[in-house]
Amino acid sequence: MTSTTVADATTDDEGNGPEPGPRHRVLASERRLTLLALACVVGVVALTMGSSLIGLRTLTVPDLLSVQEPWRSQQPQDWTFAGTWFGDQVNVMLPDTAEFVDRLWDGDFPSWSPYNNGGTPFGAIDDVAVFSPTTWPYMILPLWLAPAWSQLVVTLVTIAGMALFLRRLGVSRLAGIVAGLAFATSGFMYVWTNWPQTRTAAFLPWMFWAVERAVQRRRASSVVPIAVITALVYVGYFPAVAAYIFGSGVLYGGYRLVALRRDGVDGRELRRIGGLGLAAIALGLGLVAWLILPFTDYLGGLDLGYREQTTQCHAPARSLGSLVFPRYGSATDFDFACPTGEHETEAFAGAMVVGLAVVGLFAPGRGRRGLRTFFLALAAVTGMLAYLGGPGLWLVQQFPVFDENRIMRIRVLMSFALAVLAAFGVERLRAEVDTPERRRLLAGVAGLMAVGALLTWRIHDWPDIPSPPLHGWIPVAACVAAAAVFLAARAPHTALRVGAVALVPLLVGAEAVGAIRPYWPTGDPDDLYAESSTTDFLSEHLGHERFVSTDYTLQPSANRVYGLRALTGRTFYEDTWGDLLEAINGGRAGLRSLSLVPYLPVERVQSPVLDRLAVRYYVTDAANPIYGEARDLRQPGGGRTELRPDEPVTIPLEGPVRAVGLDLPVPPNTGGERPRVEVELLDADGHVLATGSQRLFRWLQSGPWHVPVPGDGAPTTVAARLTLVDADRPLVVREYGGSPAAYLVLPEADGLRLVHAEGTAIYERTTALPRIRWASEAIVEPDARRRLELLADPEVPASTVVLSGPGPRPSGRSADVEVVEDSGDAIRARVDADGDGYLVVADAIQRGWRAEVDGEAAELRAADHGVVAVAVPAGTHEVRLAYVPPGQRTGIWIAVLSALVLVGLALTAVR
């Protein structure tokens, strides 16, 4: 069988390649134009991420960490932050990746992560896309340096795939590189940088290349790349985008085969290659079945009903202005029907790319007519779904993937289709250099760009655009420049026409830089998960137990960078774990992840449910009110006094104290880099018993203000020494009875102990149970509602476990428990029991985990609603729990068989 290409003379009139006959005369400057396009790629990379590639900056948003404690107090007084939506980077992707890499380098493949929400499947489901080549820079580079290099890989993979695909269509290298640059810097690709969305979408052009290659060659072996690309798409770990790529690839392949059938190619041969292509996608998914099967099992334990979509959940039509006006229609409130922002609305392509796409759509050439039709339809349909909604959106939302994912993300296909059409436009401009014949078309597109310039000038009201306002003029200038290029391309002089073509990659790159540079986050590498006294304290004292934080204190999931277990986090969690969080949080579980509501009332901090979940420490912003007994020291007619920089003031006290309150008659104006008040508790001999501090931020107003100090364990306190530190001017406070103190907060019998006060206030919960503990009694309660009531009842003894189903009756006798291993994927404990009972592990490990007692399989029982217990008889025993990803073994066999089939197909090429 003889292979054919799109460039063959046998191609038809429905989009199978260029026109028959001799090719256009190759331009003398072709190589130089290609090199110029490559230089533009280098320039865009250098201007958008260059400083991050060499380590001067980091291509992420450490400033978002510094908005909250414990990092806020470490920032200088003049530090400001404009805000960003890039939060998922520092509270999902980077912490997850840091954990994976650290454990991998320690010789531990982390199938399970124990750090958030009682634990979640991790490497077993490719939770951080670590198997994608676009993520591999994280394996060898520091966490602050890897994001830029990962983004560079995404960019290069995208451009290379686009260039290869378009070469398959007979398009020049110049046009392929320009189209690749256009797609790599499109709105979807640059707003989702450092997310799995782009790591998945980078292989979209490769899928089309593989499909086109199979259609052209029509050999059994030619479908093998489809399978490989399918696997690479999946391990990017964003199922919705992966589904869009698979679906569009299948549609494209079907469209091309139908076109060939109309050209007279044997129908049986086309059906054979079509069937092989679909089988290749199935085989590609088979290659990663060892990830897919555990993932589908994991989804079975999650309540994703809150993700259900409606036909009102789409981007507003007005935001289509972002095609040429970056972020237009995303910075203001349009009463979105669902939570969204620029990451869900940005359609940027650039004026030059839009103009080229129009030229490519209407340029003559029967060889690409069918291709133009397909990519026009792809752009139009996906654009309507993403920005207009309507009956079409309702229809697709009846199918899996679409029903639980925001449709706006399908615009990745619109951006890709526009880039392909733009490549056809570049080819038309190249042809005009030798044979000017479409002057009327070019004049019309130039007029369209002029109208675009007028419209962008009319709509650029400053609130709708990024700062500084100068960026509002960039799309206006871009439209004008694009119009000039299309006019020059119809000039009578060849040099002007060549110059017009040479300007195309320059303008595409310039618009990309103008859109991306002010938007991409960069920050000081030293600020990315900087060490703090809070993280140091928890690292030293937390051990096997958990902490809980509120109101984004210690940014959700940042705990994974430090190896600390947290009650919540930026992850999905099991339904039963969510029930426990709701019981703690007063029925409000937030966004199914993240942290608890700001500043819990003390009765919730005392919750017995927190005790059973081994929450040893409660962490909150030190500026929040301090729990305890407030003792007012204020008297009528108080005067004013000053705390002068570095001049201590001592006030008499008696007994333990949790905070010293001051009364500020005027907003503080102390100057200094990091002004703060330090409080030291002293005994009779002048020894310092405890120290706490509080920053004087520039936004503070007059009124009560406190300095927390961990003095619960200092009953011999006789005085407190107050010192204004790192200030240039005095702090004015009210004076009562010769003392600057206005009130004190004293400890109460609340089961709490303030143990740290610097940026954050950390309370030790003295009633918390060990995460791995012995239960000598049991209550069986099959009803979930009643079970949660029992767990929240302080009258239920801590030695009692609440089981969801029947089990062996415990003896009521005690036991000693020694934790031998507590790694991510395995737990081992040695139990020396005086009688029968249960070993309780307060982790969300009811699915996928197995238990053994002395090497023999044991039943893992649902306990305390969301955790587990193992029945252990009297005596000395070793209990082992291990995570075995559900379906992984079967998935490995499927992957092996799929690989063997693909090798067999590949060998047919040799035969």
Side-chain angles (χ1 to χ4, degrees), residues 630-635 742-744:
R631 178 175 297 178
D632 197 344
L633 303 178
R634 284 170 285 209
Q635 303 169 4
Y743 62 93
L744 302 174

Side-chain angles (χ1 to χ4, degrees), residues 537-549:
F537 178 90
L538 292 174
S539 296
E540 182 179 352
H541 295 91
L542 190 60
H544 300 287
E545 319 308 339
R546 289 192 177 89
F547 75 91
V548 63
S549 61

Side-chain angles (χ1 to χ4, degrees), residues 641 643 649-651 660-663 722 733-736 738-743:
T641 187
L643 295 181
V649 174
T650 302
I651 61 174
V660 175
L662 305 177
D663 201 344
L722 283 63
V733 300
R734 291 197 184 277
E735 182 180 46
Y736 299 97
S739 170
Y743 62 93

Side-chain angles (χ1 to χ4, degrees), residues 492-516:
H493 301 292
T494 302
L496 285 176
R497 298 198 299 272
V498 172
V501 176
L503 282 175
V504 167
L506 291 171
L507 290 178
V508 171
E511 285 193 80
V513 172
I516 294 172

Side-chain angles (χ1 to χ4, degrees), residues 398-411:
Q398 308 311 305
F399 296 92
V401 178
F402 296 97
D403 58 342
E404 292 182 348
N405 287 276
R406 295 177 185 172
I407 194 62
M408 294 81 84
R409 295 163 190 180
I410 204 172
R411 72 188 190 279

